[in-house]
Amino acid sequence: MLRRTALATSALLIGALLLTSCTGTDTSPAPTGEADPNATLTVGLSLEPTNLDIRHTSGAALEQALIDNVYQGLVTRNGDENNAIVPALSTAWTISPDGLTYTFTLREGVTFHDGSALTADDVVTSLQTTKDDATIQNSADLANVASISSPDASTVVVTLAQPNIDFLFALTGRAGLIFKNGDTTNFQTSANGTGPFRVESRNVGQSVTLARYDGYWGDKAGVAEVVLDYIPDRNAAVNAAVAGDLDVQLEVDPELRGQIDGTNNFTIDSGLTTDKGTLAFNNAKAPLNDQRVREALRLAIDHDALIQTLGSGETLSGPIPPLDPGYEDLSGSISYNPDRARELLAQAGAENLNLTLTIPNVYPGSISTFLVSSFADVGVTLQVKQVDFTAWLQDVYTNKDYDLSFVRHVEARDFGNWANPSYYFGYDNAEVQGLYAQALATTDEQQSSDLLAEAARIVSDDDAADWLFLSTPLTAVGTNVANFPKNSLNVRLPLSAVTVASE
């Protein structure tokens, strides 16, 4: 049986804009021993949220920890079943033939963690507040909502101004989370959701502890307690797993995998993701507003060699990953060609170019090192500016003060970023914006996918960014653990079905 002591060595790490999902292969043997309902499950993670306010604080770390565990919406998604949309606080829903009216039947017997009953008014108020308050994360997902009403105590009706084929999927995210009307909880330090776990405590810089909520409306959580242990240093994380301080470790460094394998206490699973390692170009800033320069930088990168250097991942040549609608294999559109890169830089008058890469310090230095070498080969000097995530959010994401930046955009169906000229990419293409709007407005899924694919081809042909890799992270799951989820774990970590076996 693994020891489950919290590590005191983990350091504070800012929650990330790790801005999903066929079923991964389950090679884990059944755990030995009987499941212990009083057990504690300790999970090693790298990215710690800055606070617990999931409504007003960005970063996938909050979604990873809290959605499905603490907070819920009318619907959610199952990452291990192709991101299928499944019931949560609603038991059923209907969509009108014109795609404008969504009618939800509310689940009975739901209570918040403070013991108060969920009402239709809570649902209406939560959604209306999110729509009206632009400071709430993903508020724009509800901008198209014309009205939200409750004709009776068990029904909520949402009417759109125009069809949006992604609306139901949007409700599986932050925009769809339901809160108690008039709640006075200090959401930065505490929580009051309807999920199978409640927030028991937060040890800043170290961990968040979730406790089973015995008043939960569904099947009770399989463990009494979950400790989310934040260990940003990959070596320290592996050492913790080897020492028996963790039951599960997410995002195992491939170079360190052998140490975990050697304990015989873990199996290694590789899940599927929509995690796009994105090298962003500031399209609005010279010289990166010149398509020739952007193309040259892409041609200078040997993506297969980078993935070999990193030890994991798959190539990705466009903005839509294989698990999202609109995916098309664009690998034939561009390939490693440093000679052509030099020609394009010369044509653009950009020889001896000096650029700065702003990269959060949570990512391995091998990425920066590889890019420095790759660009030097075509005459581009790359300065590397490592920052913590708070600085990245301010300088790059908010102020758009950067040349190049790297961040992993993990969320599914986020192509809309490329149709938003105000986004930090600075990419402004009216044709892409029009195609994206059409893709959302149709009620025909195949037509929507085709329109997205067309838009994605334009984004790639414009060399609006470079997609260095599609992440395929490794998870070390203890042999005493059963039912641990497989896919999209860096944005969703539903833990209610997980059990830990006794010795």
Side-chain angles (χ1 to χ4, degrees):
M1 185 173 181
L2 302 182
R3 291 184 293 115
R4 304 180 190 90
T5 57
L7 290 178
T9 58
S10 58
L12 176 62
L13 183 63
I14 301 302
L17 182 81
L18 295 177
L19 295 164
T20 326
S21 317
C22 298
T23 304
T25 300
D26 183 1
T27 59
S28 306
T32 57
E34 295 294 326
D36 180 2
N38 298 314
T40 294
L41 171 72
T42 301
V43 181
L45 304 170
S46 60
L47 298 170
E48 180 185 8
T50 53
N51 60 62
L52 298 178
D53 188 356
I54 196 166
R55 274 190 154 180
H56 296 96
T57 306
S58 63
L62 272 173
E63 298 181 34
Q64 181 187 50
L66 300 183
I67 294 183
D68 293 333
N69 293 321
V70 175
Y71 292 114
Q72 297 174 304
L74 293 171
V75 290
T76 189
R77 67 184 86 147
N78 188 332
D80 289 343
E81 292 185 3
N82 300 312
N83 259 0
I85 297 173
V86 296
L89 297 181
S90 68
T91 58
W93 57 90
T94 60
I95 306 173
S96 62
D98 62 5
L100 293 177
T101 304
Y102 292 70
T103 303
F104 298 90
T105 300
L106 300 187
R107 189 178 297 277
E108 297 181 355
V110 178
T111 61
F112 290 94
H113 295 158
D114 66 0
S116 57
L118 172 75
T119 68
D121 182 58
D122 295 321
V123 177
V124 171
T125 303
S126 294
L127 297 179
Q128 190 68 53
T129 300
T130 298
K131 170 182 165 56
D132 295 341
D133 186 351
T135 69
I136 293 179
Q137 294 289 310
N138 295 5
S139 171
D141 287 348
L142 302 188
N144 183 41
V145 171
S147 65
I148 308 167
S149 62
S150 174
D152 58 60
S154 62
T155 308
V156 169
V157 178
V158 181
T159 303
L160 306 185
Q162 61 184 26
N164 181 344
I165 200 167
D166 270 353
F167 178 68
L168 201 60
F169 191 85
L171 291 184
T172 69
R174 295 192 194 211
L177 296 180
I178 305 304
F179 294 80
K180 176 183 173 181
N181 188 17
D183 202 332
T184 59
T185 298
N186 182 348
F187 289 107
Q188 291 220 344
T189 59
S190 189
N192 185 29
T194 59
F197 295 99
R198 57 180 178 79
V199 173
E200 184 173 78
S201 63
R202 177 176 179 235
N203 191 348
V204 177
Q206 294 188 24
S207 63
V208 171
T209 299
L210 309 178
R212 180 168 53 215
Y213 175 50
D214 289 331
Y216 182 56
W217 55 264
D219 293 337
K220 302 301 183 288
V223 294
E225 186 179 67
V226 173
V227 177
L228 303 177
D229 218 339
Y230 295 101
I231 314 172
D233 182 85
R234 293 190 174 199
N235 282 285
V238 168
N239 290 339
V242 170
D245 292 323
L246 302 174
D247 296 299
V248 178
Q249 173 60 42
L250 269 62
E251 302 219 28
V252 174
D253 189 325
E255 294 185 358
L256 304 175
R257 171 178 177 167
Q259 297 181 37
I260 293 180
D261 284 337
T263 67
N264 295 319
N265 290 327
F266 296 89
T267 58
I268 304 294
D269 291 328
S270 179
L272 304 176
T273 75
T274 52
D275 184 341
K276 304 162 289 292
T278 305
L279 179 64
F281 303 148
N282 193 339
N283 286 254
K285 178 181 179 182
L288 294 159
N289 58 352
D290 189 323
Q291 183 269 338
R292 295 170 297 181
V293 173
R294 300 194 301 269
E295 182 180 357
L297 295 178
R298 295 187 72 191
L299 291 168
I301 301 169
D302 185 340
H303 294 81
D304 290 331
L306 173 59
I307 289 171
Q308 186 174 8
T309 297
L310 297 175
S312 67
E314 299 176 359
T315 56
L316 182 67
S317 301
I320 298 181
L323 300 177
D324 278 356
Y327 171 72
E328 182 180 18
D329 183 358
L330 298 175
S331 57
S333 63
I334 192 166
S335 60
Y336 176 55
N337 191 338
D339 290 336
R340 177 58 178 160
R342 296 184 195 99
E343 291 176 6
L344 287 169
L345 290 170
Q347 291 175 17
E351 301 100 324
N352 304 314
L353 191 61
N354 285 276
L355 297 171
T356 298
L357 171 70
T358 306
I359 182 170
N361 55 16
V362 299
Y363 298 118
S366 53
I367 295 174
S368 301
T369 301
F370 189 92
L371 293 175
V372 168
S373 176
S374 298
F375 291 160
D377 187 45
V378 299
V380 175
T381 300
L382 185 66
Q383 304 292 331
V384 177
K385 180 182 178 183
Q386 280 197 325
V387 297
D388 63 35
F389 226 94
T390 300
W392 187 91
L393 285 169
Q394 184 65 38
D395 297 342
V396 177
Y397 184 66
T398 301
N399 295 334
K400 307 175 184 66
D401 182 15
Y402 77 102
D403 296 329
L404 309 180
S405 182
F406 174 84
V407 77
R408 284 168 44 186
H409 285 262
V410 306
E411 187 55 271
R413 303 194 190 190
D414 60 355
F415 181 81
N417 294 335
W418 299 104
N420 178 8
S422 298
Y423 199 66
Y424 82 95
F425 297 147
Y427 178 69
D428 189 356
N429 186 302
E431 186 176 7
V432 168
Q433 293 157 26
L435 288 167
Y436 181 64
Q438 293 177 56
L440 291 184
T442 180
T443 57
D444 185 315
E445 291 186 2
Q446 186 57 57
Q447 183 183 35
S448 178
S449 182
D450 291 343
L451 289 164
L452 288 171
E454 184 179 351
R457 286 194 295 273
I458 296 172
V459 171
S460 181
D461 289 345
D462 280 348
D463 302 293
D466 188 78
W467 298 272
L468 296 179
F469 56 84
L470 178 69
S471 182
T472 55
L474 303 177
T475 302
V477 180
T479 54
N480 60 331
V481 176
N483 304 322
F484 200 81
K486 303 292 182 187
N487 298 326
S488 301
L489 302 185
N490 41 18
V491 288
R492 290 292 173 89
L493 195 61
L495 296 173
S496 65
V498 179
T499 61
V500 175
S502 58
E503 291 182 336

